[in-house]
Amino acid sequence: MFVIGKLVTRQYRLHIRHLINKNTRLNSALSVKLKTANYTSYIRVPWALTLLKRTLHTVNRELDAMGLSPLDPSSYSRPEQAVVKHVDLKLNVDFDNRQLSGEALLTVNVLDSIEELILDSSNLTIESIESEDGKVLNYKLDDPVPNYGSKLTIPLPEPATVDQKIKLRIKYKTSPTATALQWLEPKQTSGKKYPYMFSQCQPIHARSILPCQDSPAVKFTYNAEVTAPEPFTVLMSAIKENGSAKATFRQPVPIPSYLLAIAVGVLESRELGPRTHVWSEKEEIERSAWEFADTEKYLQAAERLCGPYQWTQYDLLVLPPSFPYGGMENPCLTFVTPTLLAGDRSQADVIVHEIMHSWTGNLVTNTNFEHFWLNEGFTVFLERKVGASLISDKEEAHRSRDFSSLLGLQELTETIKLDLGEQNPLTKLVVNLTGVHPDDAFSTVPYEKGSLFLRYLEDLLGGSAVFDDFLRAYLNKFQRQSLDTDQFKAYLLDYFKDNDALKKVDWTTWLHKAGMPPVIPDYDTSMTKAVTALLAKVNDPNNSLDYNDVRIFTPQQVINFLQALIDQDPLPVDRLRTLGDAYNVATSKNSEITYRWLRLCIRSRDESKIDEALQFVNSQGRMKYVRPVYRDLYAWEAVREKAIENFLKNEPNMMHVSAYTLRKDLHLKE
């Protein structure tokens, strides 16, 4: 054992671990045995060693042919050889040319003897690369692969050895079409006077902002100095130290590249608490401050479950409407969509969700996006636990948590049974992304199926009283690290090794089979009974409808009701119009309600609502709303061409990820 342990040296362990853990491509039984024995106990078995060698050779050969990393099918970089540990950025913001220009000083730790460093790059103009002593280095930038960018290879002036630290200074410019950046014209902002720029790096778009190891397996700290003209404010996913003409930032907690974020606009802020502010254009600042006033309360509730918040500050930035997500958990500065400004604080769950990412996703991170459920499933699971903890009545808290889970189950069912299909491999929890862009794999599955799996485990293993302690131990064990599903599984098995209930878990079906989860928890359905009764009333054309039917409904119950209508056969147009007027959903200011209402109108073929639906998708870019509405319009053959024409006209106003995915939804060629 000692000899084998010497052979499997530190610089190879990470490499072997990740290759073995790709259990869709490798022998999963060998994986567990190797991992649980710290890579040594079973390697000494001759047949296992032979199999391991053959497996490594085959996988390396296949991935080398593609030019991609053996650790991450979405990256060219080779962090098993050398890993970026710190980045110093100096950037200039040029609105006229829609460019960031400057330099990135990379500090790299060498893990294996290397003669070159490989980075990810996407449509960057490399001006020069220098060693720490100022020596100009040659480099090779491969032809770009669509959606993955280019492999940047930097031969070193002399070979680097294990434990050596090297620094490289790269001077470069971004492209005006950088996929991570959206440059807005003044007319696309609330103020209509100044332009605006913001980023979205997840999943693999950071490579269009800087040369990097664009894989969540790599975490680095960073400092930044950003120059922008007056009167612009620069914000980043870091602690802001100076707000003069040169804004300076410091991020002392290691982050994966997808959490690098920048926004530049004419902004104002309001204090929400001792470590929380909200930022937006002045036209939205007061509404934003009111809507998110409870942020500090949510943050404290999260700490009670997960432990101390490690990122110092927690600010919110309300972005222009084209932002493609509900929120993005950029450290120290969560980006949120203005569609959350409902005026009733009914969408606070999105803020709680992004706060929970401070632990799951940001501190404990999936090693690549094949294991995305470790980020999002955990975060949804924790979001609902924390949301329930804010309710003092324990029974009501339990009902509320379960009701939120049922809403999630509704969305998961639609995604798997109608959108993707039950045999689609992307409905697995652990997916194979070889040749599949992570943007193409994005859906509710890792969020809701992942959360449901954790809820199943919690119920099976003894409930919150037992599982909460495991969660804290898990977060403490893997904080500031990246991990895969096998590591999670091994840790859970070890933590609950004396709990016989674990024998009931069908790991293969849960993790590696497509379709709906094999077990649905026994949720409390008391909050859905009124919805079920109302659904029966609405479906009987002999019943009259009036506002008293929904007067005591919470916004979430209205959402549950509308989603249930989406899941059934369409109502006749006249009946639907009566419902919309009687229940005030046709005039709701809550975007979650409006989104579902318009989908119902499209499904019932209400021609009077076509223009309203198109205006809705043009007014904001949140993919959760825009993609299903466009898919419904596409399915309506009579309006299909009008929907496509509307998309093409509005496409220049969209962020890359929205336009990219909508083109696929509308069956348009790139």
Side-chain angles (χ1 to χ4, degrees):
M1 184 182 296
F2 176 77
V3 173
I4 295 298
K6 286 289 187 179
L7 288 174
V8 187
T9 54
R10 177 174 55 83
Q11 63 263 36
Y12 293 111
R13 287 178 184 172
L14 181 65
H15 185 37
I16 291 171
R17 183 189 74 205
H18 284 276
L19 287 173
I20 291 170
N21 286 341
K22 287 184 177 294
N23 46 25
T24 56
R25 293 184 283 274
L26 301 178
N27 186 300
S28 59
L30 179 61
S31 167
V32 173
K33 292 177 181 178
L34 288 167
K35 183 172 298 300
T36 56
N38 293 321
Y39 314 105
T40 57
S41 297
Y42 284 80
I43 290 178
R44 70 174 185 264
V45 181
W47 67 263
L49 183 57
T50 300
L51 176 60
L52 178 60
K53 287 180 177 179
R54 289 176 179 173
T55 300
L56 296 180
H57 176 73
T58 300
V59 172
N60 274 324
R61 183 181 60 199
E62 292 176 354
L63 292 172
D64 284 346
M66 297 167 60
L68 294 169
S69 169
L71 307 188
D72 188 333
S74 305
S75 173
Y76 298 106
S77 66
R78 302 296 298 268
E80 79 280 5
Q81 298 174 351
V83 61
V84 174
K85 300 300 290 184
H86 181 78
V87 178
D88 288 292
L89 281 171
K90 290 185 179 180
L91 297 173
N92 179 68
V93 180
D94 183 348
F95 277 103
D96 291 336
N97 294 304
R98 296 188 168 204
Q99 282 185 323
L100 296 177
S101 61
E103 64 180 46
L105 177 62
L106 309 183
T107 300
V108 182
N109 285 5
V110 178
L111 303 179
D112 196 358
S113 297
I114 59 171
E115 297 182 352
E116 62 186 18
L117 180 69
I118 298 173
L119 300 174
D120 294 299
S121 170
S122 179
N123 216 10
L124 298 175
T125 299
I126 307 296
E127 297 182 337
S128 67
I129 301 180
E130 300 175 355
S131 60
E132 185 176 9
D133 59 6
K135 183 178 180 179
V136 176
L137 303 180
N138 294 321
Y139 61 90
K140 179 185 177 184
L141 192 60
D142 287 359
D143 291 337
V145 175
N147 302 316
Y148 291 90
S150 302
K151 180 179 180 180
L152 175 60
T153 303
I154 308 170
L156 301 177
E158 57 185 40
T161 57
V162 176
D163 292 333
Q164 187 174 342
K165 184 176 292 185
I166 58 177
K167 292 188 177 183
L168 299 176
R169 188 183 309 276
I170 305 175
K171 296 181 181 179
Y172 68 97
K173 291 181 180 178
T174 64
S175 167
T177 58
T179 57
L181 301 176
Q182 183 165 31
W183 301 85
L184 300 178
E185 298 288 346
K187 65 181 180 181
Q188 295 174 268
T189 69
S190 296
K192 311 298 182 187
K193 187 176 180 181
Y194 297 101
Y196 198 118
M197 182 272 286
F198 63 87
S199 67
Q200 174 57 38
C201 288
Q202 193 180 41
I204 60 168
H205 299 288
R207 64 193 68 180
S208 71
I209 293 182
L210 80 164
C212 61
Q213 294 176 315
D214 199 7
S215 169
V218 176
K219 291 189 171 185
F220 57 90
T221 56
Y222 80 89
N223 296 331
E225 181 182 280
V226 184
T227 303
E230 292 289 345
F232 291 94
T233 296
V234 180
L235 298 175
M236 294 192 75
S237 54
I239 300 166
K240 189 177 180 71
E241 296 190 319
N242 187 342
S244 62
K246 288 187 177 181
T248 57
F249 301 89
R250 177 177 56 89
Q251 181 50 269
V253 181
I255 64 166
S257 55
Y258 74 80
L259 291 179
L260 183 73
I262 184 170
V264 185
V266 177
L267 305 171
E268 293 189 7
S269 70
R270 295 290 185 272
E271 183 177 299
L272 302 177
R275 51 186 167 174
T276 59
H277 290 76
V278 62
W279 296 81
S280 75
E281 293 182 80
K282 67 178 181 180
E283 288 78 11
E284 279 81 40
I285 193 62
E286 298 303 335
R287 285 197 302 151
S288 300
W290 185 88
E291 198 79 34
F292 306 130
D294 292 332
T295 300
E296 175 64 25
K297 180 175 73 174
Y298 304 151
L299 194 54
Q300 291 177 9
E303 288 184 302
R304 287 193 289 272
L305 177 62
C306 298
Y309 179 76
Q310 296 189 28
W311 304 90
T312 304
Q313 69 185 47
Y314 184 85
D315 286 0
L316 297 165
L317 172 62
V318 181
L319 286 164
S322 59
F323 182 60
Y325 298 102
M328 180 61 208
E329 63 271 16
N330 302 311
C332 305
L333 184 71
T334 286
F335 286 6
V336 295
T337 170
T339 63
L340 300 185
L341 302 178
D344 58 6
R345 295 177 181 159
S346 61
Q347 297 196 49
D349 58 320
V350 176
I351 303 304
V352 177
H353 179 93
E354 304 309 330
I355 286 174
M356 301 322 301
H357 267 306
S358 302
W359 287 268
T360 49
N362 296 10
L363 272 184
V364 180
T365 309
N366 51 225
T367 194
N368 62 49
F369 290 103
E370 295 183 322
H371 305 274
F372 191 44
W373 82 273
L374 290 175
N375 277 20
E376 296 298 351
F378 265 91
T379 300
V380 171
F381 179 72
L382 291 173
E383 162 206 329
R384 290 175 181 151
K385 289 176 73 71
V386 167
S389 76
L390 295 167
I391 301 172
S392 56
D393 184 286
K394 290 186 177 180
E395 291 187 4
E396 182 184 352
H398 177 72
R399 288 194 298 269
S400 177
R401 181 189 178 195
D402 279 9
F403 185 68
S404 295
S405 299
L406 288 167
L407 290 178
L409 180 60
Q410 275 186 310
E411 294 188 6
L412 179 66
T413 302
E414 181 182 6
T415 297
I416 291 179
K417 293 190 174 182
L418 298 180
D419 294 342
L420 295 176
E422 293 193 76
Q423 300 305 312
N424 192 316
L426 294 180
T427 63
K428 300 176 183 180
L429 268 189
V430 181
V431 295
N432 182 351
L433 293 184
T434 300
V436 179
H437 194 282
D439 280 338
D440 293 330
F442 184 84
S443 75
T444 62
V445 171
Y447 293 74
E448 295 297 345
K449 192 173 183 179
S451 174
L452 197 151
F453 180 42
L454 292 170
R455 175 60 183 270
Y456 162 74
L457 290 174
E458 178 183 77
D459 292 347
L460 180 70
L461 295 170
S464 293
V466 173
F467 208 68
D468 286 359
D469 288 340
F470 162 75
L471 289 171
R472 282 185 284 269
Y474 166 81
L475 294 172
N476 184 63
K477 168 71 175 179
F478 294 104
Q479 64 174 312
R480 306 196 180 195
Q481 299 179 50
S482 300
L483 78 159
D484 61 23
T485 301
D486 280 347
Q487 289 171 275
F488 156 74
K489 177 183 174 183
Y491 185 73
L492 181 108
L493 290 173
D494 182 66
Y495 187 93
F496 289 107
K497 58 181 177 290
D498 297 325
N499 193 323
D500 290 338
L502 269 180
K503 297 176 182 178
K504 299 179 182 179
V505 180
D506 182 351
W507 293 99
T508 299
T509 299
W510 274 106
L511 298 175
H512 304 298
K513 288 191 177 180
M516 290 293 290
V519 179
I520 304 299
D522 186 19
Y523 293 128
D524 184 314
T525 60
S526 56
M527 289 187 68
T528 66
K529 290 179 180 177
V531 173
T532 303
L534 179 60
L535 198 63
K537 180 177 183 179
V538 167
N539 284 325
D540 185 345
N542 297 316
N543 290 326
S544 60
L545 310 178
D546 64 68
Y547 186 69
N548 285 328
D549 295 340
V550 296
R551 183 174 54 82
I552 62 172
F553 273 26
T554 66
Q556 285 71 29
Q557 284 177 300
V558 175
I559 291 168
N560 179 228
F561 166 65
L562 295 177
Q563 186 64 44
L565 287 174
I566 290 173
D567 294 339
Q568 69 172 34
D569 291 337
L571 291 173
V573 171
D574 290 345
R575 184 66 167 173
L576 185 63
R577 289 175 179 173
T578 299
L579 180 154
D581 292 337
Y583 297 164
N584 291 345
V585 296
T587 56
S588 174
K589 302 301 181 184
N590 185 313
S591 59
E592 290 284 336
I593 293 173
T594 299
Y595 150 68
R596 289 173 173 82
W597 165 246
L598 289 173
R599 290 193 66 194
L600 288 170
C601 293
I602 296 168
R603 289 166 56 81
S604 292
R605 303 299 188 250
D606 186 347
E607 294 181 358
S608 70
K609 292 294 184 179
I610 295 173
D611 289 343
E612 187 176 339
L614 294 176
Q615 174 58 31
F616 178 74
V617 295
N618 291 345
S619 66
Q620 47 78 38
R622 189 175 178 184
M623 292 194 296
K624 176 183 178 181
Y625 302 154
V626 173
R627 293 188 67 189
V629 171
Y630 263 118
R631 286 196 294 258
D632 290 346
L633 288 168
Y634 185 89
W636 187 356
E637 191 170 353
V639 301
R640 180 178 299 168
E641 290 305 316
K642 187 172 184 177
I644 291 173
E645 179 183 348
N646 181 80
F647 164 75
L648 293 173
K649 182 179 179 180
N650 195 51
E651 185 179 17
N653 299 324
M654 296 181 180
M655 199 162 193
H656 167 81
V657 66
S658 298
Y660 171 80
T661 51
L662 281 169
R663 277 190 162 272
K664 293 180 177 293
D665 292 337
L666 296 173
H667 305 280
L668 300 173
K669 294 181 179 180
E670 287 292 329

